[in-house]
């Protein structure tokens, strides 16, 4: 029985890796830059040519890469090497997002680099959407269900607690949490 389970498990992993490789080839044909060493589950995306994913990343299923803008050249969602992105994650990018190497991004989280105008003189849906780049330095850990908003820069080695909303930049090696996120303490 143990032998049958081992064979089934290895066969399952081989199929999973093969499907991930086929996804990478398909996305690369559409202009995405994704290293072949990355493990890529089934994802959703707009404008695949805006995506860059480095070496040895793990992207779990139901991640949504949404570039929310008109067609333009260049990469706008940049994920560097050795990054883990959990299940059911949303990138809602109008400007640019960069995630530093060796970062961990928990399931159910979101990056949103734009919002809506709020003038009472016209409908909000008709107003320009201000946007600003989001940047995570290396070795950042975001817990589950974290929302990171426009213009935020998260310093190297920082941690954001699960369920937090980050609306301002975080210095390096600090732990933040809450809605809105506030400093809890420095990392030891």
């Amino acid at each position: 029985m143990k032998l049958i389970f081992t064979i089934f498990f290895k066969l399952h992993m081989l199929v999973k890796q093969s499907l991930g490789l086929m996804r990478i080839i398909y996305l690369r044909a559409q202009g995405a830059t994704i290293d072949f060493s990355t493990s890529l589950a089934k994802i959703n995306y707009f404008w695949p040519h805006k995506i860059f994913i480095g070496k040895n990343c793990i992207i779990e299923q139901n991640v949504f890469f949404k570039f929310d803008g008109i067609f333009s050249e260049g990469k706008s969602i940049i994920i560097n090497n050795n990054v883990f992105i959990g299940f059911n994650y949303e990138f809602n990018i109008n400007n640019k997002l960069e995630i530093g190497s060796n970062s961990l991004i928990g399931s159910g989280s979101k990056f949103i680099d734009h919002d809506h105008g709020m003038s009472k003189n016209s409908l909000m849906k008709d107003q320009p959407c201000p946007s600003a780049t989001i940047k995570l330095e290396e070795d950042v850990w975001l817990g589950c269900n974290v929302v990171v908003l426009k213009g935020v820069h998260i310093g190297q080695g920082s941690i954001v607690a699960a369920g937090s909303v980050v609306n301002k930049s975080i210095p390096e090696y600090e732990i933040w949490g809450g809605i809105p996120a506030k400093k809890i303490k420095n990392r030891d």
Side-chain angles (χ1 to χ4, degrees):
M1 184 66 159
K2 184 177 177 183
L3 178 62
I4 292 172
F5 177 75
T6 302
I7 292 169
F8 177 77
F9 179 75
K10 288 184 178 187
L11 183 60
H12 171 75
M13 293 306 294
L14 181 61
V15 168
K16 186 176 173 183
Q17 289 171 346
S18 297
L19 289 172
L21 182 59
M22 287 190 298
R23 284 186 200 99
I24 291 170
I25 291 168
Y26 181 70
L27 284 164
R28 286 175 70 138
Q30 295 182 62
T33 302
I34 304 173
D35 191 271
F36 285 115
S37 64
T38 286
S39 172
L40 185 65
K42 186 175 182 207
I43 62 170
N44 299 301
Y45 53 89
F46 292 159
W47 302 118
H49 72 285
K50 303 297 277 180
I51 300 170
F52 172 91
I53 302 174
K55 297 177 182 175
N56 300 312
C57 294
I58 298 172
I59 312 293
E60 291 191 334
Q61 64 193 24
N62 293 333
V63 172
F64 188 11
F65 291 94
K66 180 182 178 189
F67 179 74
D68 192 20
I70 60 172
F71 181 87
S72 62
E73 296 294 328
K75 305 299 183 194
S76 292
I77 300 172
I78 300 168
I79 301 168
N80 287 296
N81 301 329
N82 305 309
V83 172
F84 171 84
I85 297 176
F87 172 80
N88 209 30
Y89 200 93
E90 180 182 337
F91 296 88
N92 192 334
I93 303 302
N94 187 303
N95 189 332
K96 188 174 183 180
L97 161 75
E98 184 171 356
I99 300 174
S101 295
N102 303 305
S103 293
L104 304 169
I105 312 298
S107 298
S109 297
K110 297 178 190 228
F111 288 118
I112 306 168
D113 76 347
H114 58 284
D115 57 22
H116 293 280
M118 297 183 287
S119 171
K120 65 181 182 178
N121 298 326
S122 65
L123 297 172
M124 286 183 275
K125 71 177 187 69
D126 295 335
Q127 296 180 41
C129 296
S131 66
T133 297
I134 297 172
K135 181 166 178 134
L136 278 65
E137 297 291 340
E138 291 190 15
D139 191 31
V140 169
W141 174 23
L142 303 183
C144 296
N145 298 312
V146 170
V147 176
V148 179
L149 300 175
K150 74 175 188 232
V152 168
H153 181 124
I154 300 178
Q156 180 174 340
S158 290
I159 299 170
V160 179
S164 298
V165 176
V166 183
N167 63 356
K168 58 185 164 187
S169 294
I170 298 174
E172 60 183 33
Y173 299 106
E174 290 187 357
I175 301 172
W176 284 48
I179 303 173
K182 294 180 175 30
K183 181 178 177 181
I184 297 170
K185 67 179 188 174
N186 290 327
R187 270 184 70 189
D188 296 332

